[in-house]
Amino acid sequence: FACAVGGFRLAAADAPAMDAAATRTAFLKLIDRPSVALAPQVKAPVQTGELARVDFSYATEADQRVPGLILKKAAVTGRRPVVIDLHGTGGSKESDLAFLNQLANAGFIAVAIDARYHGARSKTGKGSADYVEAILRTYRTGREHPFFFDSVWDVMRLIDYLETRDDVDPARIGLFGISKGGIETYLTAAVEPRVAVAVPCIGVES
């Protein structure tokens, strides 16, 4: 039995002997790219009831800005635990607003971003056509890693941004994701020690 994923080829007999640190280093090398300043842009909070929404964006590459949103209780002060929610294929940062509201009402800072070729980062703002097109283009050209890996980089840079905020407890940052987001959740948690808790849902494929 052998498995080839994202440039790695693993045989079942080799798996027990693999060193976790070496695997992490290899994956980080695979997704690494030139460092750019975060250059965050943060809009003024908009309050609805007890909750405040903050729209923001940050840079991950020279030609990539990631749009995101934060939901939290407006009256709560001090540093709070964070849950980053990663949407599934065809979704967007607004897809899981009901869940984000639940998290915020429970006292968490709820955060969501648009994955590449999704939401505000797609031509139409919805659906998965751009994403599928990008995956096919990568298959043909070898450029980019839109199938999960680029999102890992975006989330790691998101954590860089969250650590700059005075309302975030950097020791209590969790990840939650569904489907595509579930896979991105466990991939990120495997290489990012700043993720305290990871909850991937339906994030395994045959």
Side-chain angles (χ1 to χ4, degrees):
F1 172 78
C3 177
V5 180
F8 294 107
R9 183 167 181 83
L10 309 176
D14 299 331
M18 288 194 67
D19 179 76
T23 302
R24 178 179 184 270
T25 298
F27 183 66
L28 289 173
K29 182 178 179 180
L30 176 69
I31 67 171
D32 190 32
R33 52 212 70 191
S35 178
V36 299
L38 283 168
Q41 298 174 0
V42 184
K43 294 184 178 180
V46 176
Q47 188 167 340
T48 303
E50 295 184 353
L51 300 183
R53 171 172 170 160
V54 178
D55 287 278
F56 68 96
S57 68
Y58 60 98
T60 59
E61 298 181 57
D63 60 347
Q64 291 287 339
R65 288 197 67 83
V66 181
L69 68 86
I70 291 171
L71 281 181
K72 62 177 185 174
K73 282 189 173 180
V76 172
T77 60
R79 295 185 179 273
R80 304 296 303 163
V82 174
V83 176
I84 300 168
D85 174 69
L86 302 179
H87 64 74
T89 301
S92 70
K93 63 184 179 297
E94 286 83 12
S95 295
D96 299 335
L97 268 176
F99 178 58
L100 296 173
N101 273 274
Q102 289 180 9
L103 290 170
N105 280 310
F108 293 97
I109 294 176
V111 181
I113 60 173
D114 285 330
R116 300 193 187 204
Y117 304 103
H118 287 76
R121 302 173 80 182
S122 69
K123 297 172 187 173
T124 62
K126 61 181 181 179
S128 57
D130 287 357
Y131 180 53
V132 173
E133 181 182 317
I135 293 171
L136 180 59
R137 186 169 61 247
T138 292
Y139 174 77
R140 290 171 173 163
T141 67
R143 301 192 196 99
E144 299 184 87
H145 295 288
F147 195 52
F148 312 134
F149 293 176
D150 285 339
S151 285
V152 174
W153 178 260
D154 288 349
V155 174
M156 291 172 68
R157 295 295 283 153
L158 171 61
I159 295 173
D160 289 341
Y161 165 65
L162 292 174
E163 286 187 327
T164 71
R165 294 182 57 92
D166 59 10
D167 56 353
V168 167
D169 182 347
R172 294 191 292 171
I173 295 176
L175 272 180
F176 172 89
I178 297 176
S179 191
K180 178 182 81 71
I183 295 169
E184 293 160 353
T185 292
Y186 67 67
L187 286 173
T188 305
V191 295
E192 177 52 84
R194 294 175 295 177
V195 174
V197 178
V199 183
C201 293
I202 51 174
V204 177
E205 297 184 353
S206 63

